[in-house]
């Protein structure tokens, strides 16, 4: 049911933890399943993401997608990190079962929430970044549905 990559990132999640004094931090949840994800980003003066860490209180797919999402955004610019969509995360994991697609949305929204926090703290606007929702259920049936 799950790809080897999903199982690997679930069993050995990368970048678990917190960043002290992060450049941006965002928390999102899904009211339907009750899962919560928090993403921390450390962004340097050139807008490059030096470090990304996460804490996920959620299902295995949520853990695997947060792990992969943090791996994908590391070393990227803020703009490039916006391209790390839930589809990109799923592709990098060799797919997720349809019932678990919503879990990958948590990862995308958590990145966006952390970037939003970073933008607010620095009084900048990140082109293409929409104000994140705290409950991703609101977004599930809209642009992200597959
Ligand atoms: Fe809720 Fe996976 S079941 S994030």
């Amino acid at each position: 049911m799950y790809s080897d990559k999903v199982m690997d990132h679930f069993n050995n999640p990368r970048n678990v933890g917190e960043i002290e004094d992060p450049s941006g931090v965002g928390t999102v949840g899904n009211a339907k399943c009750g899962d919560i994800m928090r993403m921390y980003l450390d962004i340097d003066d050139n807008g490059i993401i030096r470090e990304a860490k996460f804490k996920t209180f959620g299902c295995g797919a949520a853990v695997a997608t947060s792990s992969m999402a943090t791996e994908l955004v590391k070393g990227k610019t803020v703009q490039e990190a916006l391209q790390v969509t839930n589809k990109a995360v799923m592709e990098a994991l060799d797919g997720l079962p349809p019932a678990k697609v919503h879990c990958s949305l948590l990862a995308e929204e958590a990145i966006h929430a952390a970037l939003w926090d970073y933008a607010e703290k620095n009084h900048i606007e990140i082109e293409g970044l929409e104000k994140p929702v705290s409950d991703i259920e609101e977004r599930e049936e809209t642009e992200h549905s597959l």
Side-chain angles (χ1 to χ4, degrees):
M1 180 175 177
Y2 290 111
S3 72
D4 290 347
K5 276 195 191 161
V6 173
M7 290 313 293
D8 177 33
H9 278 264
F10 169 62
N11 286 318
N12 309 292
R14 321 318 192 246
N15 313 308
V16 176
E18 296 177 20
I19 294 176
E20 228 175 278
D21 199 13
S23 312
V25 56
T27 307
V28 293
N30 182 327
K32 215 188 272 173
C33 64
D35 292 352
I36 297 166
M37 190 183 291
R38 179 169 296 158
M39 185 80 68
Y40 302 82
L41 297 176
D42 180 29
I43 301 170
D44 72 14
D45 294 342
N46 299 317
I48 311 273
I49 298 171
R50 273 191 303 221
E51 219 188 329
K53 293 216 181 262
F54 77 92
K55 278 193 162 173
T56 292
F57 181 82
C59 72
V63 172
T65 51
S66 2
S67 168
M68 182 54 93
T70 50
E71 284 289 273
L72 290 176
V73 298
K74 270 200 292 182
K76 288 199 163 61
T77 65
V78 164
Q79 278 300 329
E80 287 166 348
L82 281 184
Q83 309 306 315
V84 180
T85 59
N86 76 307
K87 280 185 196 168
V89 173
M90 280 196 297
E91 266 167 34
L93 286 169
D94 293 337
L96 279 176
K100 288 286 168 184
V101 170
H102 78 273
C103 315
S104 64
L105 280 176
L106 268 187
E108 178 183 316
E109 281 300 308
I111 293 171
H112 289 183
L115 289 173
W116 186 267
D117 181 46
Y118 163 74
E120 283 206 318
K121 278 181 183 156
N122 291 280
H123 310 289
I124 54 169
E125 218 174 279
I126 299 174
E127 211 190 314
L129 178 64
E130 286 173 33
K131 192 170 180 1
V133 293
S134 54
D135 176 6
I136 61 137
E137 232 196 300
E138 292 171 33
R139 245 175 217 181
E140 247 175 60
E141 275 115 44
T142 58
E143 75 254 43
H144 293 296
S145 49
L146 293 177

